[in-house]
Amino acid sequence: MLVGDKVILRALREEDLPQLMEWRNLPNFKRNFREYRELNMTMQKSWYDKLVVGDPGTIMFAICEKETKELLGCCGLCYINWVQRNADISLYVGYQESYIDDEGIAKEACTLMFDYGFNELNLHRLWTELYEYDQAKVDFFTKEFGFNKDGELRDNHYMDGRWWNSHIYSLLESEYKEAYCDGNN
């Protein structure tokens, strides 16, 4: 369990799946995820069994309120490449259907996850793929954490009757440690 001031990150549990499925199926959330289909419990359970439980390259967390333990969202490190020491970041705050909130839940969850990824797992690079219309996450990762844009995949995602580019953003271990571990923040 990773403990912050407001939230804790704990291992996902099977009993979290109905709430996660409900959030994932919200139209304003679903449009930002790679999984474009409406999820049912069979699909949600299959994802949980195959990736969360069965894949050492996926580490998922429930984001919970520290005092009440209420489930607030989900985050994790996916597609972990243990040789190249990098991982994709997954994150959303379902609490009040906020996606990326203004109360600091997402920020603290990421801070805990980044500390875990860089300092415990010894990862070198954390990255994320964001669709060009997902300005909330682009602003969040670039402004809150200093992620850099690594590249663009042109016409990579079809949504709302047109093609959109995907942007790849990343944070290196050295950038994280300079900003967050040297007493600067």
Side-chain angles (χ1 to χ4, degrees):
M1 181 179 313
L2 308 176
V3 180
D5 294 328
K6 298 179 188 180
V7 302
I8 60 168
L9 303 185
R10 62 157 172 80
L12 279 181
R13 300 178 187 146
E14 194 167 329
E15 60 262 26
D16 298 326
L17 298 182
Q19 179 62 74
L20 296 180
M21 182 186 71
E22 183 180 318
W23 288 331
R24 290 286 311 246
N25 284 332
L26 292 169
N28 59 321
F29 279 39
K30 186 169 53 174
R31 64 179 287 131
N32 299 311
F33 299 135
R34 289 182 188 113
E35 177 57 71
Y36 57 89
R37 300 172 296 174
E38 187 81 8
L39 298 176
N40 60 40
M41 269 317 291
T42 302
M43 296 160 78
Q44 189 75 0
K45 178 80 167 69
S46 177
W47 166 79
Y48 177 80
D49 290 339
K50 182 179 177 186
L51 294 174
V52 177
V53 175
D55 181 1
T58 301
I59 302 172
M60 296 300 295
F61 298 101
I63 306 169
C64 298
E65 202 279 328
K66 186 175 179 179
E67 300 304 319
T68 66
K69 309 298 189 253
E70 176 187 2
L71 182 63
L72 304 175
C74 184
C75 65
L77 301 171
C78 306
Y79 309 110
I80 299 172
N81 182 323
W82 296 106
V83 174
Q84 299 301 323
R85 297 178 32 222
N86 66 66
D88 178 24
I89 299 159
S90 176
L91 167 76
Y92 66 90
V93 176
Y95 173 73
Q96 297 181 345
E97 298 182 11
S98 51
Y99 185 58
I100 297 296
D101 68 300
D102 295 326
E103 299 175 34
I105 296 167
K107 184 174 183 180
E108 186 169 61
C110 277
T111 300
L112 291 168
M113 191 170 46
F114 295 171
D115 183 63
Y116 177 72
F118 289 128
N119 294 319
E120 297 295 321
L121 300 180
N122 196 30
L123 296 176
H124 174 69
R125 179 176 168 269
L126 297 177
W127 61 274
T128 188
E129 176 186 354
L130 304 175
Y131 305 129
E132 66 181 300
Y133 58 76
D134 189 356
Q135 199 59 51
K137 271 196 182 168
V138 170
D139 289 347
F140 176 73
F141 283 114
T142 58
K143 294 177 182 176
E144 292 290 342
F145 293 103
F147 273 57
N148 292 295
K149 184 176 175 184
D150 292 346
E152 180 175 279
L153 303 172
R154 300 178 304 134
D155 286 356
N156 193 54
H157 183 71
Y158 193 78
M159 175 63 62
D160 299 331
R162 64 165 279 202
W163 288 100
W164 298 88
N165 298 334
S166 291
H167 298 196
I168 307 299
Y169 292 88
S170 72
L171 182 68
L172 301 178
E173 174 187 25
S174 59
E175 295 165 338
Y176 171 78
K177 289 187 175 181
E178 181 180 326
Y180 295 94
C181 297
D182 293 340
N184 295 333
N185 285 342

